[in-house]
Amino acid sequence: MPVLAVAPARCGGSSSSINKSLGTVFPPFLPKEVERIVDPSARELAMRIQRVPVKLWRSHIQRPIVLVGPSLGAAVAIDFAVNHPETVTRLVLIDASVYAEGTGHLSKLPRLVAYAGVALLKSIPLRLYANLLAFNKISLGRSFDCVNIGRLHCLLPWWEDATVNFMVSGGYDVRHQIKQVKQKTLILWGEKDRIVNTDLALRLHDDLPNSVLHQVPDCGHLPHVEKPEFVVESISNFISGSMVDRPTSSALEAVPPS
């Protein structure tokens, strides 16, 4: 069964093990078409981003897929699964950032200020700090590796325009779409995620009745990078139907469902 990952570029290191274990895995996509949008609405932007996996599905896959969305990629995955249900048989959402109101107040920034903020995202100190938040445990050497890999997309000539357009558009707001998801869904969540609160894992599990929730032990916001073997095994078991719901852990038990 083909597996397609839609994820914001951040850090490499897990794709080879996933490819070996899951077989047909297609790479993440970057929404290059965003650069052509001038003051777009959030919906227009979402539709443009959707075209990339739709084209890929029609040209190369042509059968139902397992769609994997880590972090903000989970919002893309939910939007895609709701609007193109014939293409997606199952969803995997990893530390999903799906309850935010898009880009919020950032959408009201003057474009000059927005460009200055986006340029800051290339900063090595800022990205090193982000790694401290994103990972549970990471060595300085590996952190620099992740920074160097994670900055590659920032150096593309269209990246700043695309990111600013995404920001001022309002970004992704899929809160109203979550309960429209019909596909069976696996929710994976890092036990020590310091970027997206673990209470949202239980909220998402509650909003998706046809879902199973597994926590990734001793892991931060990026289980597919920090614990790729665990993620691969979980997805494999989910696809084969041998996985049972296992939401309880010391961190999740302490948080009541929303």
Side-chain angles (χ1 to χ4, degrees), residues 6-247:
V6 287
R10 180 174 183 85
C11 176
S14 62
S15 59
S16 60
S17 60
I18 292 177
N19 274 307
K20 290 178 183 177
S21 300
L22 294 180
T24 309
V25 179
F26 295 90
F29 69 86
L30 289 172
K32 183 175 180 179
E33 290 181 314
V34 178
E35 67 174 319
R36 304 191 184 98
I37 305 174
V38 179
D39 295 324
S41 66
R43 186 65 218 159
E44 179 186 0
L45 176 59
M47 291 176 66
R48 285 174 178 262
I49 293 176
Q50 283 178 4
R51 290 177 190 168
V52 180
V54 168
K55 289 178 181 178
L56 177 63
W57 187 85
R58 288 175 177 169
S59 61
H60 291 87
I61 306 175
Q62 300 176 354
R63 53 186 170 136
I65 61 174
V66 177
L67 190 58
V68 181
S71 192
L72 183 59
V76 180
I78 286 175
D79 193 35
F80 188 74
V82 169
N83 286 284
H84 303 278
E86 73 283 359
T87 68
V88 180
T89 182
R90 297 192 180 205
L91 274 178
V92 179
L93 307 178
I94 304 175
D95 290 74
S97 178
V98 294
Y99 288 107
E101 298 181 27
T103 54
H105 295 300
L106 295 177
S107 63
K108 298 179 174 61
L109 288 177
R111 294 186 73 88
L112 185 62
V113 177
Y115 271 100
V118 166
L120 186 62
L121 294 177
K122 300 179 182 180
S123 163
I124 291 178
L126 179 63
R127 286 188 166 268
L128 285 171
Y129 176 69
N131 284 342
L132 291 177
L133 294 178
F135 290 91
N136 178 37
K137 296 177 182 178
I138 185 171
S139 67
L140 184 61
R142 189 182 181 198
S143 185
F144 271 107
D145 286 342
C146 289
V147 166
N148 290 331
I149 296 172
R151 288 180 73 244
L152 289 176
H153 67 291
C154 301
L155 305 179
L156 294 170
W158 49 264
W159 178 79
E160 287 191 3
D161 291 336
T163 305
V164 168
N165 282 328
F166 178 82
M167 185 187 301
V168 301
S169 75
Y172 260 107
D173 185 350
V174 297
R175 291 170 298 164
H176 66 288
Q177 291 179 289
I178 293 173
K179 293 185 179 181
Q180 298 177 35
V181 172
K182 305 300 182 184
Q183 294 87 349
K184 189 171 181 61
T185 303
L186 168 63
I187 302 169
L188 294 174
W189 214 277
E191 178 186 25
K192 298 182 179 179
D193 189 340
R194 289 179 287 179
I195 293 180
V196 182
N197 289 334
T198 54
D199 60 343
L200 294 180
L202 290 172
R203 179 179 174 183
L204 185 59
H205 186 37
D206 186 56
D207 285 344
L208 296 173
N210 194 19
S211 67
V212 292
L213 170 60
H214 274 219
Q215 192 172 55
V216 186
D218 299 317
C219 186
H221 184 64
L222 302 171
H224 53 298
V225 178
E226 195 168 0
K227 301 279 187 178
E229 295 83 4
F230 185 99
V231 171
V232 166
E233 182 179 3
S234 297
I235 295 176
S236 298
N237 291 339
F238 177 61
I239 293 174
S240 68
S242 61
M243 174 171 283
V244 296
D245 199 12
R246 202 171 55 194

